[in-house]
Amino acid sequence: MQRFEGRVAVITGAGSGIGRATALRLAAEGATIVAVDLDTSAGERIAEETGGSFIAADVTDEAAVEAVYARTVEAYGSVDVAFNNAGISPPEDDSILTTGIDAWRRVQEVNLTSVYLCCKYALPHMREQGRGAIVNTASFVATMGAATSQISYTASKGGVLALSRELGVQFAREGIRVNALSPGPVNTPLLKELFAADPERAARRLVHVPFGRFAEPEEIAAAVAFLASDDASFITASNFLVDGGISGS
Ligand code: NAI
């Protein structure tokens, strides 16, 4: 399938995990990839592997985000897909009783404000084109809460869900679709970091997954590819759960 032939996809957090797998998947389906990440060597590597380009940027930096979309349109003429995916895991002890204001603010900044910024600067280009697909990475915890307290993270992802819903409704008649993608636990460096601090947390979480395993990044990438493609032409403002059945159990 070449669903993205002639299309340009900007992917944040493309250097690792879900972003990296999605860059490879969309490139395999014909997309031109603009990889965005803080990590320069990982970003350059994925750009080389996909034959696209890499822009080193911090997604919490407004000027840098604006420049990402401006440079993409300058180089390739359009931005058809924006996968706003960069994010960080919660602080080690992320209970409402213990999470400090700085840690709270940092998580909102990277996980939620970044999505606001990416949408804000992708949308004007998409409106001009009269089409576009935005996929924002939320998490299953925004729908059902986490068994292990992670208040700043869960709240940031709840914000991503609400923002996506509102934009999906607002821009539907302009040919722009905006969806939230909510993965369950996925085998990526982010998850490994979370479990390294508390190894029993992995076992506790696994109990809640009907499949009895975590997702691989490629399984999430397949869902992003669907949502970003014309196959999802009647899907907008949705919370697309790819959680191995956690929220249904
Ligand atoms: P990851 O840690 O493997 O990759 C995240 C990438 O984002 C890294 O390459 C990192 O350098 C980049 N990044 C972090 N902060 C950045 C910033 N300020 N500016 C630019 N780039 C930045 O993580 P993973 O697991 O692939 O996560 C991707 C998204 O999926 C995140 O939003 C995460 O919250 C979400 N998610 C992950 C789940 C999991 O179990 N791995 C489950 C549900 C949601």
Side-chain angles (χ1 to χ4, degrees), residues 1-24:
M1 271 188 297
Q2 290 298 97
R3 292 183 292 187
F4 297 96
E5 201 65 61
R7 301 205 179 167
V8 180
V10 178
I11 300 177
T12 71
S16 176
I18 295 168
R20 179 181 155 75
T22 303
L24 291 168

Side-chain angles (χ1 to χ4, degrees), residues 13 16 18 37-38 57-59 85 137-138 153 157 184 186 188-190:
S16 176
I18 295 168
D37 209 290
L38 268 182
D58 181 339
V59 289
N85 162 76
T137 306
Y153 184 83
K157 295 302 189 179
V186 190
T188 69
L190 182 141

Side-chain angles (χ1 to χ4, degrees), residues 131-144:
R131 72 187 160 86
I134 295 177
V135 180
N136 297 321
T137 306
S139 166
F140 74 99
V141 297
T143 299
M144 56 177 298

Side-chain angles (χ1 to χ4, degrees), residues 42-121:
E44 281 170 352
R45 183 155 76 96
I46 190 69
E48 200 180 311
E49 285 172 87
T50 56
S53 47
F54 168 60
I55 302 178
D58 181 339
V59 289
T60 67
D61 176 342
E62 181 163 10
V65 171
E66 184 175 13
V68 161
Y69 295 99
R71 282 176 60 187
T72 298
V73 171
E74 201 179 289
Y76 300 113
S78 68
V79 47
D80 305 292
V81 174
F83 181 36
N84 304 321
N85 162 76
I88 52 174
S89 54
E92 206 170 298
D93 179 6
D94 196 16
S95 151
I96 186 100
L97 303 174
T98 49
T99 294
I101 189 73
D102 291 342
W104 165 273
R105 285 193 174 128
R106 178 73 191 145
V107 173
Q108 307 317 312
E109 190 79 359
V110 180
N111 290 1
L112 175 58
T113 305
S114 68
V115 175
Y116 147 77
L117 288 174
C118 290
C119 291
K120 178 172 178 162
Y121 290 106

